[in-house]
Amino acid sequence: MTEFEARRTEVIEKAAAAALRLPLQSSGLWFHGDMRDNLYFALHLYLASCREDIRLPGERGKARKLAEAMLLRLLRMQQRDPQTELYGHWPLALGSDPDNARPHPLPVELVGNLLSLFAIKYKSDLSETLKTELHTALSHVYRSRLYADGPAQFHHHDAKRCNLQLMLAVYFNDAELHETAVKNLDAIRSHVEANGFHEYGALPWFWHWIQAFTCSWEVSEDSEAKRIAGQTLAWLWDYRARCYLKGAWIGPHSRVLPHDTPSDRNTLFDYVQFGDFGFPADIARLEGAGLFSYRVSPEVMQLALDTEPTVWEAPLPPPPGQASAPLHQYIYRTGQFAVGGVLEYAEEYLNEQHRWDVTFPASADGAANQAFFFHPGKGYEAGGARQASRHCEVLLHRTVVAALYPVPDGDDPTVVGFLPHGVWSISDKLWVGDIGSAYLAVHMRHKPAARTSHLGMALTLPGRGNGVVLEVIGKQEAEEVLLRHRTQSALHAGHAKPELGEAAVYAGAGETTDLLAALLANRPPQFESGGGTVSVAYRSLAGDRLTLHVGQDGTVRRTLNDLDLSIAANGRE
């Protein structure tokens, strides 16, 4: 068994074990929230019960019986009356009365693809009862024509629907539908390759793209369909690899859900393909993670696991229907940490855009692995880590992020932020922490209030003219920086431990953390505001001079070592 197959088997085995631990409700279901969660765990439990090499707690026959009963129960929740508007669909939210839950147009998009894959690829493992019920369910989907439309906005709905066309064409041996599906999938492939991915970093949707095209790749015997699916997957996984750091997603997200920030927990597809981080303690989102045989290319694998420092600047498409210029993405990645973001705010779905963060490897226990600050906007809930306002301007350069928050008069100027757990040295406006793989320095214009949770630390920064500067320092780089400053009397006068001034040591901060804090306390960023403007200037530990200025009219000026980095100055508007 290859390492890839071993990790895939591990996903199936652990998902099955998790399913067997789930309490059954009186309805006979595990979950009443999202119908699909029941399906995902039932599919993995069924596959595990069919494989003698997979260990299961308890009796294998009982596990298979439970999985089959769950699958039959779910399949029969489909709307099968052809006279109804949502014929062929399943409910989404089941509520307190699952038997009377109303059908919804969303589940079939991904569920239809996964059920088709299950019926085709795993046909020999299915009981006659399950085989018949799957056929009945897919027949209703097929006759409903709910999948008939071609691509329009080239988003995840189009990707899933057009792959469903192909899956049904293969299952029902429909040559005409197959021809239509291939044409539509090639249009999607061509659009993405030419225009980029406007659902950047939206992990539920990105993984839906991956799963939909992988379903088609797995079942296609037609060489053209296989080529299109394979080429699209190669593009998607190349994009993923460029934003990858040991299970974490670097850089901006057009949409984030609670399991995406401040910690990366939607990681099972990464785990199967790359395997350079620990299996998560809890399965935050399962979907079809263990069902697929597709493997990324050696080139994608090498790109994802590369530890050499790299910079990737690439345009991102604006949201559909918005006549704006491409967004400007910046990612700096090392093997230990990354800095990434997008310069522009965009009005994304439910205002769930995540602009920037400093990223560390994903944590198996689900603790925060991101550091970021934002001004709360539409939809924000107190204590949350999502839904920022447009009032942020940012400068990203390698290990440094400078961010300003020019909030209009009359609006609450409070900024919130999140930091990972670590060993921290804390003063009023400077926090320096050992995060494990690197050190993180956080300079704040105003003294924060902080609270600690199992995820990490949540900070609140009151006051107008708010701003932060974050600088991340690799472990080796930290030693080199301190070595260069070892002769400074403020650090090592008489070989004694340096005075930290007002700095207080938190959680037993180590000597290197203390030394960095003392060094950085003597070179704070220069924040200024007045007359409707706000600015910050900072000299990084690498010696780079960075300035960020927001004028009264909203004009943004960014400079690096006196070189104008403003978008207009570089002809990129």
Side-chain angles (χ1 to χ4, degrees):
M1 183 183 292
T2 65
E3 292 182 355
F4 168 85
E5 283 298 336
R7 291 193 296 271
R8 181 178 165 227
T9 296
E10 184 182 5
V11 170
I12 297 172
E13 181 176 300
K14 290 186 175 178
L20 291 172
R21 291 193 299 269
L22 291 169
L24 279 176
Q25 303 196 44
S26 59
S27 64
L29 300 168
W30 292 310
F31 306 101
H32 281 191
D34 189 329
M35 165 267 185
R36 297 171 294 183
D37 290 328
N38 296 283
L39 178 71
Y40 303 146
F41 279 96
L43 290 173
H44 286 78
L45 180 58
Y46 191 91
L47 290 183
S49 71
C50 295
R51 289 181 51 174
E52 295 293 334
D53 63 323
I54 289 182
R55 298 167 297 174
L56 287 175
E59 188 177 325
R60 187 173 301 275
K62 289 184 178 180
R64 182 164 182 165
K65 184 177 179 180
L66 172 61
E68 181 163 331
M70 185 69 68
L71 290 170
L72 294 173
R73 175 93 164 83
L74 295 166
L75 290 169
R76 290 165 182 164
M77 296 177 75
Q78 182 186 35
Q79 174 56 263
R80 294 178 175 178
D81 181 354
Q83 302 306 313
T84 58
E85 180 183 1
L86 292 175
Y87 171 51
H89 289 278
W90 281 271
L92 178 62
L94 300 181
S96 59
D97 186 9
D99 289 324
N100 291 306
R102 301 180 64 180
H104 193 283
L106 283 184
V108 73
E109 292 181 348
L110 182 58
V111 165
N113 279 286
L114 295 179
L115 290 178
S116 300
L117 176 74
F118 198 64
I120 298 169
K121 182 176 179 178
Y122 299 104
K123 181 178 181 180
S124 62
D125 292 322
L126 305 181
S127 70
E128 288 304 316
T129 301
L130 187 52
K131 199 179 299 182
T132 299
E133 199 62 43
L134 276 167
H135 181 79
T136 299
L138 292 174
S139 295
H140 285 294
V141 174
Y142 181 59
R143 289 195 293 268
S144 74
R145 303 289 297 172
L146 58 84
Y147 50 84
D149 292 341
Q153 296 190 49
F154 298 92
H155 51 23
H156 62 290
H157 298 298
D158 289 349
K160 287 178 283 188
R161 186 177 60 253
C162 293
N163 277 284
L164 181 56
Q165 294 172 359
L166 187 77
M167 298 300 290
L168 293 171
V170 171
Y171 183 81
F172 290 103
N173 195 27
D174 185 331
E176 183 178 353
L177 180 59
H178 191 279
E179 182 179 352
T180 298
V182 169
K183 178 182 176 182
N184 288 336
L185 293 178
D186 199 38
I188 293 174
R189 174 204 59 77
S190 178
H191 179 88
V192 170
E193 290 182 349
N195 298 282
F197 195 65
H198 70 253
E199 293 176 317
Y200 57 92
L203 295 194
W205 297 344
F206 178 80
W207 294 131
H208 288 185
W209 277 76
I210 289 288
Q211 290 173 89
F213 275 96
T214 306
C215 283
S216 292
W217 183 88
E218 298 257 351
V219 306
S220 291
E221 295 182 357
D222 174 77
S223 59
E224 181 68 359
K226 190 92 167 181
R227 179 192 67 80
I228 293 168
Q231 193 169 334
T232 309
L233 286 169
W235 191 96
L236 291 168
W237 277 110
D238 179 88
Y239 167 61
R240 172 65 190 113
R242 294 176 187 275
C243 304
Y244 180 79
L245 176 65
K246 297 181 180 178
W249 190 289
I250 306 166
H253 304 252
S254 61
R255 185 191 187 194
V256 286
L257 293 182
H259 54 45
D260 303 322
T261 186
S263 54
D264 287 276
R265 296 189 294 124
N266 189 357
T267 58
L268 288 184
F269 292 96
D270 287 330
Y271 181 78
V272 171
Q273 294 293 348
F274 305 127
D276 62 335
F277 61 98
F279 194 95
D282 295 306
I283 296 175
R285 199 170 185 121
L286 177 59
E287 298 189 342
L291 306 184
F292 306 114
S293 303
Y294 176 88
R295 295 185 63 177
V296 300
S297 68
E299 292 78 15
V300 167
M301 178 73 81
Q302 182 178 359
L303 180 61
L305 303 184
D306 187 13
T307 60
E308 289 298 312
T310 57
V311 172
W312 183 39
E313 296 184 80
L316 295 172
Q322 296 188 23
S324 59
L327 311 179
H328 298 89
Q329 174 186 249
Y330 178 94
I331 286 176
Y332 174 74
R333 183 182 72 166
T334 74
Q336 296 77 42
F337 63 87
V339 169
V342 63
L343 297 186
E344 299 88 351
Y345 170 85
E347 292 188 20
E348 298 285 359
Y349 179 75
L350 295 179
N351 190 37
E352 290 179 336
Q353 183 193 39
H354 180 81
R355 293 272 298 278
W356 63 269
D357 61 46
V358 174
T359 310
F360 300 96
S363 172
D365 63 4
N369 62 296
Q370 304 158 12
F372 58 91
F373 291 80
F374 66 96
H375 178 256
K378 182 179 179 181
Y380 172 78
E381 296 182 1
R386 305 179 299 144
Q387 294 162 313
S389 79
R390 64 172 62 249
H391 305 307
C392 173
E393 298 297 342
V394 63
L395 169 59
L396 305 155
H397 176 65
R398 296 177 72 85
T399 61
V400 178
V401 182
L404 296 172
Y405 303 91
V407 180
D409 291 341
D411 291 353
D412 183 352
T414 302
V415 168
V416 298
F418 288 85
L419 301 175
H421 285 303
V423 180
W424 288 91
S425 175
I426 297 174
S427 66
D428 282 353
K429 302 174 187 177
L430 170 63
W431 289 34
V432 180
D434 182 347
I435 311 301
S437 62
Y439 297 97
L440 177 65
V442 184
H443 301 269
M444 296 161 280
R445 183 170 194 185
H446 301 301
K447 181 179 179 179
R451 60 178 176 82
T452 302
S453 72
H454 67 285
L455 283 178
M457 289 179 290
L459 278 64
T460 304
L461 281 65
R464 294 210 163 269
N466 243 320
V468 296
V469 173
L470 279 66
E471 183 167 14
V472 59
I473 310 109
K475 289 298 181 76
Q476 181 177 342
E477 288 77 10
E479 297 300 330
E480 293 172 355
V481 165
L482 293 173
L483 181 62
R484 290 200 302 267
H485 293 82
R486 195 167 296 278
T487 58
Q488 294 183 12
S489 59
L491 287 177
H492 272 279
H495 300 286
K497 188 174 181 179
E499 285 294 328
L500 298 181
E502 298 180 356
V505 179
Y506 171 77
E511 182 181 7
T512 300
T513 310
D514 291 346
L515 295 172
L516 283 172
L519 172 62
L520 290 163
N522 292 321
R523 46 190 302 152
Q526 302 302 308
F527 292 103
E528 295 183 1
S529 61
T533 69
V534 60
S535 66
V536 62
Y538 183 68
R539 187 180 185 89
S540 73
L541 289 173
D544 291 312
R545 302 184 307 279
L546 299 93
T547 65
L548 175 63
H549 180 275
V550 183
Q552 187 174 10
D553 61 355
T555 303
V556 182
R557 178 178 171 84
R558 302 174 178 89
T559 69
L560 170 65
N561 298 325
D562 300 324
L563 174 67
D564 193 348
L565 298 180
S566 301
I567 294 173
N570 287 277
R572 294 183 292 177
E573 283 193 328

